[in-house]
Amino acid sequence: MESDKVEAGAGVSDSEASAIKIKETKQNSIADVTTLDIKSRLSLETTTEARSSEPHVNGVAQMNGICDSPQRTADVADLSLQSGTMETSHLNQHEQVETLAAESKDNDIQYVSYTSELQMPDIMKLIQKDLSEPYSIYTYRYFIHNWPKLCFLAMHGDECVGAIVCKLDIHRKVIKRGYIAMLAVDVKYRKRKIGSNLVRRAIQAMVEDDADEVVLETEITNRPALRLYENLGFVRDKRLFRYYLNGVDALRLKLWLR
């Protein structure tokens, strides 16, 4: 009996010892977790303090060895400026390409003076397309044969695409007046300043011959012609009622050279 009691007591003691060990293990785990949490918080606070106490350069905080100093800011500004300059350069290059293309297109046109009766058919064919009233060949010959130096043609290869016919004589025995009798540009070659260039050449030839003024008439409804001449300095001098055979009024334009 006693031996049975001893064995029973021994059995109870072992069970209690095992429970105590489990309890101690749990307590140690909780302590480890608590310690780890405290260490993490301390580490975070230390990092925050370290960042707030990091050195300053020129009044600017240095973070992780990178300092947003005035020099670095200036470098960034320089890069932005260079980027803008490059964009502007590309735009300028595009504009230059367009300008060169337009000049190349205009370089296909050659301006020549009247030299031969063989040019007469081309001049007549071109001008008759746009005139308000028909002219006979004698009208062309009157102007061109008497003032050949005041007749200019715009040529695209062998094709006549523009022509101007003028004269220069004494007006009222006092003034040396130039007169633009005819100007025409092929419809396919308009808006390339061919008409303006022909007028300029004619005016220059008149100036070299001591002209005092230049006049012309054009239909009051011909706005492109009015715009062309007015851009060259002509002014509206007089309205001529029912001047043309079709009954349309004309405007006399004048350019004073002296």
Side-chain angles (χ1 to χ4, degrees), residues 43-63:
S43 176
L44 180 62
E45 292 176 357
T46 302
T47 303
T48 304
E49 291 177 358
R51 288 183 177 178
S52 62
S53 61
E54 284 179 345
H56 287 63
V57 178
N58 293 331
V60 181
Q62 183 177 3
M63 302 295 291

Side-chain angles (χ1 to χ4, degrees), residues 8-257:
V12 171
S13 298
D14 292 339
S15 175
E16 291 176 352
S18 176
I20 291 170
K21 287 182 179 180
I22 292 172
K23 185 176 181 180
E24 289 177 351
T25 301
K26 290 181 177 180
Q27 290 177 349
N28 290 336
S29 298
I30 293 172
D32 291 341
V33 171
T34 304
T35 302
L36 180 61
D37 183 62
I38 293 172
K39 288 182 179 180
S40 298
R41 292 182 179 180
L42 289 175
S43 176
L44 180 62
E45 292 176 357
T46 302
T47 303
T48 304
E49 291 177 358
R51 288 183 177 178
S52 62
S53 61
E54 284 179 345
H56 287 63
V57 178
N58 293 331
V60 181
Q62 183 177 3
M63 302 295 291
N64 298 328
I66 300 176
C67 178
D68 287 332
S69 64
Q71 179 61 40
R72 184 170 179 270
T73 304
D75 292 340
V76 173
D78 289 342
L79 289 174
S80 299
L81 181 61
Q82 291 176 2
S83 177
T85 303
M86 291 177 64
E87 291 179 359
T88 303
S89 177
H90 287 310
L91 290 175
N92 291 337
Q93 289 177 359
H94 181 67
E95 292 176 355
Q96 290 175 359
V97 168
E98 291 182 346
T99 302
L100 289 175
E103 290 178 352
S104 176
K105 193 174 181 181
D106 290 339
N107 287 338
D108 294 338
I109 306 299
Q110 294 184 344
Y111 298 92
V112 299
S113 299
Y114 175 86
T115 57
S116 169
E117 180 77 15
L118 295 175
Q119 295 169 308
M120 188 72 72
D122 291 335
I123 296 173
M124 293 178 60
K125 180 180 178 181
L126 179 65
I127 293 177
Q128 286 175 349
K129 293 179 182 178
D130 297 321
L131 285 182
S132 305
E133 53 194 48
Y135 290 150
S136 69
I137 189 173
Y138 302 105
T139 303
Y140 291 95
R141 285 176 175 170
Y142 165 75
F143 286 103
I144 295 174
H145 288 178
N146 287 307
W147 297 276
K149 293 181 180 180
L150 298 182
C151 178
F152 297 90
L153 291 76
M155 304 297 296
H156 183 246
D158 295 331
E159 182 182 5
C160 178
V161 298
I164 188 169
V165 177
C166 310
K167 74 170 185 173
L168 179 64
D169 56 8
I170 302 298
H171 178 65
R172 295 182 179 177
K173 302 180 180 180
V174 177
I175 298 172
K176 200 167 187 179
R177 171 182 282 185
Y179 179 72
I180 299 177
M182 310 171 198
L183 172 65
V185 176
D186 190 297
V187 66
K188 300 189 299 295
Y189 292 85
R190 290 177 184 174
K191 296 184 179 180
R192 293 175 59 175
K193 297 188 180 300
I194 294 175
S196 298
N197 290 331
L198 287 169
V199 174
R200 287 192 182 97
R201 280 167 170 74
I203 292 174
Q204 182 60 36
M206 295 177 192
V207 169
E208 293 174 357
D209 205 1
D210 299 326
D212 297 304
E213 62 185 25
V214 182
V215 299
L216 63 98
E217 292 90 21
T218 186
E219 291 184 358
I220 196 170
T221 56
N222 192 344
R223 293 184 179 179
L226 291 171
R227 184 167 54 251
L228 182 153
Y229 289 115
E230 288 174 346
N231 287 340
L232 293 173
F234 285 82
V235 298
R236 302 184 185 193
D237 183 50
K238 185 183 297 185
R239 180 168 181 167
L240 306 173
F241 293 94
R242 301 181 63 85
Y243 182 79
Y244 296 101
L245 294 178
N246 58 9
V248 177
D249 296 348
L251 281 175
R252 176 168 291 161
L253 305 180
K254 182 180 291 189
L255 174 66
W256 285 273
L257 301 176

